[in-house]
Amino acid sequence: MAMMSAIPGQPAMARRLHEVTAAFMEEFLPWAVLEPEYVRIYQEVFTEPELHQLIAFYSTPIGRKLVEATPQVATQTVEMTSRVMAPHMPELQRRISALIRGGQSPQ
C-alpha cells in the first residue's frame, strides 16, 4: 500500500485514506465502466496482431514479472519525481503567482 508511506507518522490515517479512496474508486470506476473504455483504447492503439503479440509477451516469465513489478516501479517513480521536484517547488509557486498576478508567463 504505497499511500501508507505518504503520511509519515500517521499510519491509521493513511490506512483510512486508502480505504476511502479504494471505496470511491470501486463506486465510481467499476470494471463494468472501465472495461469498454480499455477495449476502445486498445483497439485504437494496437492492431489485432499486435494484441496477440502482447498476450504472448505477458504470458512469458518476463511479461508476468513486468505486470507484478509495475505498481512498485510506478510508486518509486512518483516518489523519485516528488523528491527531485521538492527543492524546485518554491520556484514553481513563484511562477504561478506571477502568472496569476500579471497574466503573463514568467521565466
Side-chain angles (χ1 to χ4, degrees), residues 3-15:
M3 208 176 291
M4 297 299 277
S5 64
I7 308 176
Q10 302 214 8
M13 178 59 79
R15 191 171 21 265

Side-chain angles (χ1 to χ4, degrees), residues 20-69:
V20 168
T21 303
F24 179 87
M25 298 293 280
E26 287 178 25
E27 182 178 350
F28 294 103
L29 290 173
W31 182 245
V33 170
L34 294 177
E35 183 180 24
E37 294 299 319
Y38 275 107
V39 169
R40 180 186 57 76
I41 291 167
Y42 275 72
Q43 286 176 335
E44 288 175 5
V45 174
F46 298 104
T47 65
E48 188 172 342
E50 289 170 335
L51 289 170
H52 288 290
Q53 291 173 6
L54 282 171
I55 292 167
F57 169 73
Y58 285 114
S59 299
T60 67
I62 192 64
R64 288 190 297 274
K65 182 173 182 176
L66 176 61
V67 169
E68 183 179 308

Side-chain angles (χ1 to χ4, degrees), residues 91-104:
E91 175 61 18
L92 177 59
Q93 291 169 343
R94 183 193 70 74
R95 291 181 185 192
I96 291 170
S97 293
L99 178 63
I100 291 169
R101 282 192 314 272
Q104 54 190 351

